[in-house]
Amino acid sequence: IPAMNDITGENIILDEKVSPFVYENIDGDFEISAKFIPEHMSFTDSFGIYVVNGDCCGYVKMEAKSGRNCIKSGMVDVIEMENPKVIVDGAEIYLKIIKRENHYTTFFSKDGKQYIPCGEFTLVLNDIEAGFLVSSFQGSKFQVEVQDICKHVKANKNVA
């Protein structure tokens, strides 16, 4: 499985069996976006951009729900907090997450040019693993091609 810092600008295929989470350890503020093209997506399958540390995580993802797809964003710390869901038509989608200090803002876009905010949360994480995750039931043929990967990182400055 390639590290995310080796794949910026390239395409990757994610599936539940081979590479369910491709990530990079990131320190500082960042912005990550990508185009997601799912195949064989069925009820409760999901994919998205996640920031993780142990049992805590934040995310922006698309999930298949009874005939419609919805964009979800939120965080799991001691409790789970989820922003209002956004119903979208079609399966191809661009997702983006921006981190500024401990504040995260999430977005989605149909064309990769005009992003629509879909949530905000505050989450204190050290040693962040940020990347792309796919989730499906065992034995599924569900997979996601990730294209147009873009990552910008602004390292934290140590103050003496």
Side-chain angles (χ1 to χ4, degrees), residues 72-89:
K72 292 182 169 184
S73 70
M75 55 155 270
V76 178
D77 192 349
V78 176
I79 59 168
E80 183 170 5
M81 184 284 300
E82 197 163 77
N83 293 299
K85 299 172 183 75
V86 179
I87 303 298
V88 294
D89 291 323

Side-chain angles (χ1 to χ4, degrees), residues 7 14 18-21 28 36 44 46 51 59 86 91 122 140 147 155 159-160:
I7 59 173
L14 297 176
V18 180
S19 54
F21 187 40
F36 295 84
T44 72
S46 67
V51 293
Y59 58 87
V86 179
T122 300
S140 170
Q147 299 179 348
V159 178

